Amino acid sequence: MKEYLLVDGYNIIFAWPELKKQADENLEAARYRLADMLCNYQGYKNIDVILIFDGHKSKGNEGSIFHYHNIDIVYTKEAQTADNFIELVTQEVGRKTHIRVATSDGMEQIIILGKGAARMSARELKIEMEKTSKLIKQDLEKHYHTGGNSLMDNLPKDMAELLEQLRQSDM
């Protein structure tokens, strides 16, 4: 069964202290930082990630959806909140697919649960993404040498061993 993670972008940004601090200085940078973090998460978990930002206060905003690396980013149209968009998606496909919604909005959590989606708080998402980052790092360390900047330090271990054997056989 296909799995989706819908992320209420501004809710997460303002719930995570490091993103909130960045948003206070540069909101666009915080949006892209969250998007990049979700791209890494998606790449490891292999689920469809949709990051949703409110565009409801922008006059004349028609909304937009674009593909960013390996995730989709939605800016809702005028008069549509991220919550409205999430509710619409969960209503349409929530019973046919596995959907998790990352938001700490208590009312939204109740609504999406009633529509067949699972909820995940901002804190739970952060913990899961931190665990995933550690797993990615462990996997990279298994496959690559670490601690140096030479070509040999960054080759997969099996390739480095083969090259070392070739080097030693020439002596």
Side-chain angles (χ1 to χ4, degrees), residues 100-143:
R100 288 185 304 155
V101 177
T103 182
S104 286
D105 180 328
M107 183 58 74
E108 185 62 15
Q109 289 178 351
I110 292 168
I111 292 168
I112 59 104
L113 284 169
K115 295 181 184 293
R119 67 140 195 97
M120 173 182 264
S121 70
R123 182 177 172 276
E124 290 168 328
L125 177 63
K126 184 175 179 80
I127 290 168
E128 186 168 318
M129 288 179 65
E130 287 170 349
K131 285 180 186 175
T132 300
S133 289
K134 286 178 185 173
L135 291 173
I136 291 169
K137 185 177 179 183
Q138 288 171 357
D139 283 353
L140 287 172
E141 287 173 353
K142 269 193 242 175
H143 297 292

Side-chain angles (χ1 to χ4, degrees), residues 137 140-142 144-148 153-154 157:
K137 185 177 179 183
L140 287 172
E141 287 173 353
K142 269 193 242 175
Y144 293 93
H145 291 283
T146 58
D153 291 331
N154 293 295
K157 285 183 181 178

Side-chain angles (χ1 to χ4, degrees), residues 16-52:
W16 293 2
E18 69 277 13
L19 289 177
K20 183 181 182 323
K21 182 179 180 190
Q22 187 169 27
D24 290 342
E25 296 170 14
N26 184 333
L27 185 58
E28 184 176 5
R31 285 193 298 254
Y32 278 100
R33 185 172 174 197
L34 175 58
D36 288 338
M37 293 165 74
L38 288 167
C39 286
N40 286 341
Y41 178 78
Q42 187 286 332
Y44 193 80
K45 291 291 193 172
N46 197 26
I47 60 173
D48 289 335
V49 175
I50 303 171
L51 176 58
I52 304 109

Side-chain angles (χ1 to χ4, degrees), residues 75-94:
Y75 288 92
T76 63
K77 60 187 175 185
E78 180 181 6
Q80 182 184 38
T81 65
D83 291 349
N84 297 142
F85 182 87
I86 290 167
E87 290 165 21
L88 181 65
V89 170
T90 55
Q91 173 105 16
E92 293 295 319
V93 296

Side-chain angles (χ1 to χ4, degrees), residues 61-75:
N61 178 14
E62 296 178 14
S64 62
I65 299 174
F66 68 97
H67 197 70
Y68 178 75
H69 300 301
N70 55 349
I71 67 171
D72 290 309
I73 300 179
V74 174
Y75 288 92

